[in-house]
Amino acid sequence: MPTLHEMLLPVFDEVVKRNPGEIEFHQAVREVLESLGPVVAKHPEYADTQIIRSLCEPERQIIFRVPWVDDSGQVQLNRGFRVEFNSALGPYKGGLRFHPSVYLGIVKFLGFEQTFKNALTGMPIGGGKGGADFDPKGRSDAEVMRFCQSFMTELYRHIGEYTDVPAGDIGVGGREIGYLFGQYKRITNRYESGVLTGKGTGWGGSQVRTEATGYGTVFFVEEIFKTTGESLEDKRVVVSGSGNVAIYAAEKVIERGGTVVAMSDSSGYVTEDNGVDLDLLKDIKLNRRARIRDYATDRGASAHFVEGGSIWDVPCDVALPCATQNELTAADAATLIRNGCAVVAEGANMPATPEAMHAFHEAGVRFAPGKAANAGGVATSALEMQQNASRDSRAPDMAAAVKSPARG
Ligand code: GLU
């Protein structure tokens, strides 16, 4: 495993001490500090300044109560978060995650990573992240709406098109952004569409924002293949997850001639040797909001559902972890390497554990870190903000450009 440069050890120790128990945040910070080793070796003056320490301390952290009424009339309580991490380059920018695992440590790791990812896009956006420990699974539209309205009733005072611009992440898509925007508009009496991104295209959203994260990850893989004169044609690809990132990564892989042989959700994974039927998967996940097991039931003999287990056991040339943090462990990496996997690109945020990443580097597997490989989503969000700021919609040209198979 890579070690920390000794000049950065005190920075890391301080982060661990000041943020007790927030293991995902510690992990994200450590990865960045490890990668900064060669920089401080060459420029020791950076380690001596407050710059690196400041990067590890959020500018503002907001935690709030979110009470809402479920369909049976019971009051439910959740905890909401917004961590405004860094505004050096622009308004705080980053998604909202609704998932029962959300706590401050998760939101901070995501906000920290977002700061670097956003900087890498070259767009004027700072880093932030938010969310709640709300579980949307099995909730009716009306319950999700009431939750979003209550969440925004507190959040609205902290955000704004020049202040902090949330978007989606796990558990937050177009439906949730719609409910949130409606409540923001109602409370503030402002049609400030640039306050949220990932909106519907009829009310300020950008074309291709929905597809951008997944498509971008695949474009990144194509660029990797181009360096050795290869392409995605005839490659067997495993895509973990079946949310927004996974679905559109799979769509672009298929369009480029690859075969998506497996996809998953938190209950297990499905394999289909001749390639998944993405229309069916989209119907199950986007319309029916059901479980991936239904995919295998509907497809019959050609598909196989594996409950639990690791999707990385499925042999492939390319692995696209698009589900969640730490979903690809050292053991999974060993299996992928043994099966001849050549490229791994992170569609999700921090899906590979540090041990897995290390194993890929050692084995010469080409590895694309999420801060670069999944930055297409937030970069498109920044374009959405620009369109909203100019009260314009230039999106159709962009849609044509990314959808065309002959992208140059
Ligand atoms: N949640 C996405 C990410 O991890 C996108 C955030 C955004 O568009 O602001 O980058």
Side-chain angles (χ1 to χ4, degrees):
M1 287 293 292
T3 47
L4 264 186
H5 191 285
E6 57 175 5
M7 290 179 91
L8 295 173
L9 265 173
V11 181
F12 183 65
D13 289 345
E14 189 185 349
V15 166
V16 172
K17 201 164 141 225
R18 287 166 67 92
N19 304 278
E22 297 176 1
I23 49 174
E24 297 83 1
F25 180 48
H26 303 167
Q27 180 184 336
V29 170
R30 192 177 170 107
E31 282 177 16
V32 167
L33 294 183
E34 279 171 3
S35 69
L36 284 176
V39 180
V40 297
K42 205 164 158 199
H43 294 282
E45 69 274 18
Y46 287 142
D48 289 341
T49 68
Q50 295 300 310
I51 294 175
I52 297 175
R53 288 180 65 217
S54 300
L55 275 170
C56 300
E57 180 69 17
E59 289 176 18
R60 193 172 296 107
Q61 307 180 51
I62 302 145
I63 305 181
F64 50 99
R65 185 173 67 176
V66 189
W68 55 284
V69 179
D70 69 17
D71 285 348
S72 67
Q74 291 289 316
V75 176
Q76 299 279 345
L77 272 187
N78 285 98
R79 188 173 282 182
F81 302 87
R82 187 72 187 165
V83 172
E84 299 180 332
F85 221 105
N86 195 296
S87 62
L89 298 179
Y92 308 107
K93 180 81 198 87
L96 298 170
R97 176 176 293 191
F98 291 169
H99 191 270
S101 65
V102 167
Y103 77 107
L104 191 57
I106 294 266
V107 182
K108 270 156 80 172
F109 115 65
L110 290 165
F112 180 75
E113 291 235 312
Q114 198 83 46
T115 302
F116 296 97
K117 182 194 322 192
N118 294 4
L120 199 55
T121 66
M123 314 288 287
I125 39 177
K129 206 84 185 194
D133 59 358
F134 170 72
D135 188 359
K137 212 176 286 161
R139 291 294 179 190
S140 68
D141 285 350
E143 288 179 314
V144 172
M145 180 186 77
R146 288 194 293 274
F147 177 80
C148 288
Q149 289 176 338
S150 180
F151 186 84
M152 186 53 88
T153 301
E154 170 60 32
L155 188 70
Y156 89 94
R157 72 191 76 242
H158 306 291
I159 62 176
E161 63 178 323
Y162 295 107
T163 311
D164 183 358
V165 182
D169 196 79
I170 294 172
V172 178
R175 173 182 65 169
E176 290 74 17
I177 295 295
Y179 294 145
L180 291 163
F181 183 59
Q183 184 72 352
Y184 183 83
K185 204 154 61 68
R186 190 154 69 153
I187 295 175
T188 60
N189 192 26
R190 283 163 65 89
Y191 198 101
E192 186 189 342
S193 55
V195 69
L196 291 165
T197 62
K199 300 179 295 294
T201 46
W203 39 284
S206 168
Q207 297 273 0
V208 197
R209 174 63 191 88
T210 313
E211 297 88 342
T213 315
Y215 279 16
T217 304
V218 176
F219 292 154
F220 205 96
V221 171
E222 281 191 306
E223 294 303 319
I224 292 175
F225 276 131
K226 275 187 202 163
T227 63
T228 47
E230 296 169 274
S231 75
L232 270 164
E233 190 87 43
D234 298 328
K235 298 284 191 302
R236 290 170 61 85
V237 184
V238 169
V239 182
S240 66
S242 46
N244 170 266
V245 182
I247 284 176
Y248 293 100
E251 183 168 282
K252 190 51 76 178
V253 166
I254 295 164
E255 193 188 298
R256 298 310 173 124
T259 307
V260 176
V261 291
M263 293 184 76
S264 62
D265 69 12
S266 57
S267 66
Y269 65 91
V270 287
T271 56
E272 177 133 19
D273 246 20
N274 294 324
V276 296
D277 175 343
L278 200 60
D279 288 336
L280 174 61
L281 192 103
K282 278 187 183 174
D283 182 50
I284 289 169
K285 285 293 166 183
L286 303 179
N287 302 329
R288 294 192 241 160
R289 295 183 188 272
R291 309 303 294 161
I292 207 154
R293 176 196 297 272
D294 297 356
Y295 174 90
T297 314
D298 284 20
R299 285 289 283 172
S302 69
H304 182 55
F305 174 70
V306 179
E307 190 163 352
S310 172
I311 190 172
W312 310 116
D313 291 343
V314 181
C316 61
D317 305 304
V318 178
L320 302 180
C322 297
T324 194
Q325 69 274 351
N326 292 330
E327 56 160 310
L328 198 166
T329 65
D332 298 323
T335 310
L336 285 166
I337 293 164
R338 204 168 43 245
N339 288 338
C341 176
V343 174
V344 179
E346 295 187 314
N349 292 313
M350 208 169 75
T353 64
E355 296 78 14
M357 249 186 295
H358 181 63
F360 290 136
H361 287 142
E362 290 279 289
V365 173
R366 287 170 285 173
F367 179 81
K371 292 184 203 67
N374 71 43
V378 76
T380 309
S381 277
L383 297 175
E384 184 171 333
M385 289 164 69
Q386 289 182 349
Q387 290 171 51
N388 296 153
S390 63
R391 296 173 183 278
D392 201 359
S393 176
R394 301 181 303 268
D397 321 340
M398 199 169 81
V402 232
K403 291 208 163 181
S404 144
R407 195 186 69 98

